[in-house]
Amino acid sequence: MSAMGRYFHSEVHIQSPWHQVLAAFWQRYPNPYSAHVLTEDVLYREVTPSNHLLSRRLLTKTNRLPGWAERVFPAHLSRAVYVLEDSIVDPDANTLTTKTWNLNHNTLMTVVERCLFEGDRGRPSWTRLRREAWICSAVYGLARPIQTAELPPHLHGNQGGSSGKPLPPPPHATPTVTQRPALLVCWQRVSTKGAGHHVSCEDKSLGLVRHLCSLLLSSSHNIITVTEKYAKFSK
Amino acid sequence: MNSVGEACTDLKREYDQCFNRWFAEKFLKGDRSGDPCTETFRRYQRCVQKAIKEKDIPVDGVEFMGPNKDKPES
């Protein structure tokens, strides 16, 4: 099965110290921005000999496809989305690395997100977040908008390219093209404003891709929002 | 937050509380004196792993930090 894919990356700065971001990372559900998250479970935890904390979490999320998509993809109608989140905390380097991906609905789309939260050495009350995502679909109607959607003139977003060397995309994903696709802007706007925020996207397929991305890429958005808005995590 | 196993939510919350306290007060502060949550974790896992099997959630054999393991860090 050949899939068309897309690689994205961005960098943001969170105005919270790293230890606070981490507390929010573990405690961010439930929150008002994640009504679609139904359950959260830790499946695995280990402190390695090098003092890294490894964790695995399972999230289940509701999947309410847009009406037309429910008719086209009936098998996915009532099934929850299972998302796995693996993470490594290095308390000496002040880094948290996470990888999140969907365990089912892969015939529709697979979204892999990798995040690196790093305490800002120059500014201890800030944390840097580098995000990467690989979005793939073998469904022709979705692969095209992922791959080739053009940017309407009014949607010039601030892409926030990574300041470090970008890591290579996985073998099946194609490299980024020079033109900024509307999907990338949709992803960024959804991921900074939260799932459910209206973003005008030009065609239905793009809307479906946006819906799935917001469902599957919400993890890092939540951390920013929750850390900055909820003082209880500062304890 | 609820557990995927309806019967496991209380055990999950008990474990989460223990973990959050240990994480902030010991782990992040460099205290390596050991994990006080082992027992509550075991109880919680017995419940949740059973629920995962019953619901046929495909977590078995999934490699840590997979898929696409082409990343530089160890």
Side-chain angles (χ1 to χ4, degrees), chain B residues 8-61:
Chain B
C8 313
T9 297
D10 286 345
L11 293 170
K12 168 193 142 59
R13 290 193 188 151
E14 192 186 332
Y15 167 70
D16 283 346
Q17 252 181 356
C18 182
F19 169 78
N20 288 324
R21 197 176 316 127
W22 167 83
F23 183 76
E25 294 173 12
K26 304 277 183 192
F27 182 74
L28 284 190
K29 298 194 171 162
D31 183 334
R32 304 195 188 193
S33 59
D35 181 3
C37 307
T38 326
E39 203 35 57
T40 97
F41 187 64
R42 221 172 271 150
R43 280 198 294 268
Y44 165 45
Q45 287 304 295
R46 265 199 297 268
C47 186
V48 79
Q49 295 293 345
K50 183 159 163 280
I52 282 169
K53 282 202 169 42
E54 282 168 2
K55 296 183 187 230
D56 233 341
I57 300 176
V59 295
D60 270 348

Side-chain angles (χ1 to χ4, degrees), chain A residues 136-226:
Chain A
C136 303
S137 177
V139 177
Y140 177 72
L142 299 184
R144 275 189 69 242
I146 290 173
Q147 195 60 29
T148 63
E150 290 186 4
L151 180 68
H154 65 281
L155 277 184
H156 269 282
N158 128 59
Q159 174 159 353
S162 154
S163 56
K165 276 195 295 289
L167 292 156
H172 59 269
T174 56
T176 49
V177 297
T178 52
Q179 203 168 33
R180 296 177 185 183
L183 172 64
L184 170 61
V185 178
C186 281
W187 172 60
Q188 286 184 312
R189 290 178 70 182
V190 164
S191 61
T192 53
K193 290 182 190 296
H197 180 89
H198 176 71
V199 175
S200 85
C201 300
E202 288 190 343
D203 90 86
K204 280 180 173 174
S205 298
L206 197 52
L208 175 60
V209 169
R210 170 184 68 82
H211 163 81
L212 293 168
C213 287
S214 73
L215 193 66
L216 298 169
L217 289 171
S218 56
S219 54
S220 44
H221 151 260
N222 284 322
I223 291 164
I224 298 165
T225 315
V226 170

Side-chain angles (χ1 to χ4, degrees), chain A residues 75-86:
Chain A
H76 302 280
L77 250 186
S78 54
R79 293 197 34 218
V81 182
Y82 301 128
V83 173
L84 221 51
E85 172 207 88
D86 285 352

Side-chain angles (χ1 to χ4, degrees), chain A residues 22 26-27 29 37-43 45 51 53 55-56 86-87 91 97 99 101 114 167 170, chain B residues 1-4 12 15 19-20 23 27 32 44-45 48 52 62-68 71-73:
Chain A
L22 257 72
W26 298 124
Q27 301 177 60
Y29 298 120
V37 178
L38 299 174
T39 70
E40 172 207 28
D41 284 286
V42 174
L43 302 190
R45 270 231 165 92
N51 203 39
L53 177 70
S55 305
R56 167 166 283 182
D86 285 352
S87 60
T97 308
K99 201 137 184 217
W101 69 100
R114 186 160 93 210
L167 292 156
Chain B
M1 199 67 229
N2 291 336
S3 168
V4 71
K12 168 193 142 59
Y15 167 70
F19 169 78
N20 288 324
F23 183 76
F27 182 74
R32 304 195 188 193
Y44 165 45
Q45 287 304 295
V48 79
I52 282 169
V62 180
E63 216 179 340
F64 188 71
M65 296 302 258
N68 306 320
K71 53 182 183 57
E73 64 267 20

Side-chain angles (χ1 to χ4, degrees), chain A residues 89-156:
Chain A
V89 179
D90 181 344
D92 302 309
N94 277 21
T95 59
L96 163 65
T97 308
T98 74
K99 201 137 184 217
T100 309
W101 69 100
N102 52 307
L103 290 179
N104 61 347
H105 292 71
N106 299 100
T107 49
L108 189 60
M109 183 185 287
T110 297
V111 178
V112 179
E113 186 188 27
R114 186 160 93 210
C115 296
L116 171 61
F117 296 84
E118 190 171 14
D120 188 329
R121 265 159 242 207
R123 299 183 295 176
S125 55
W126 288 75
T127 301
R128 184 172 50 190
L129 167 59
R130 285 189 179 144
R131 268 192 287 198
E132 295 174 283
W134 293 265
I135 300 170
C136 303
S137 177
V139 177
Y140 177 72
L142 299 184
R144 275 189 69 242
I146 290 173
Q147 195 60 29
T148 63
E150 290 186 4
L151 180 68
H154 65 281
L155 277 184
H156 269 282

Side-chain angles (χ1 to χ4, degrees), chain A residues 8-23:
Chain A
F8 303 103
H9 61 96
S10 75
E11 181 169 317
V12 298
H13 296 266
I14 305 171
Q15 197 174 357
S16 293
W18 185 75
H19 68 270
Q20 191 172 322
V21 172
L22 257 72

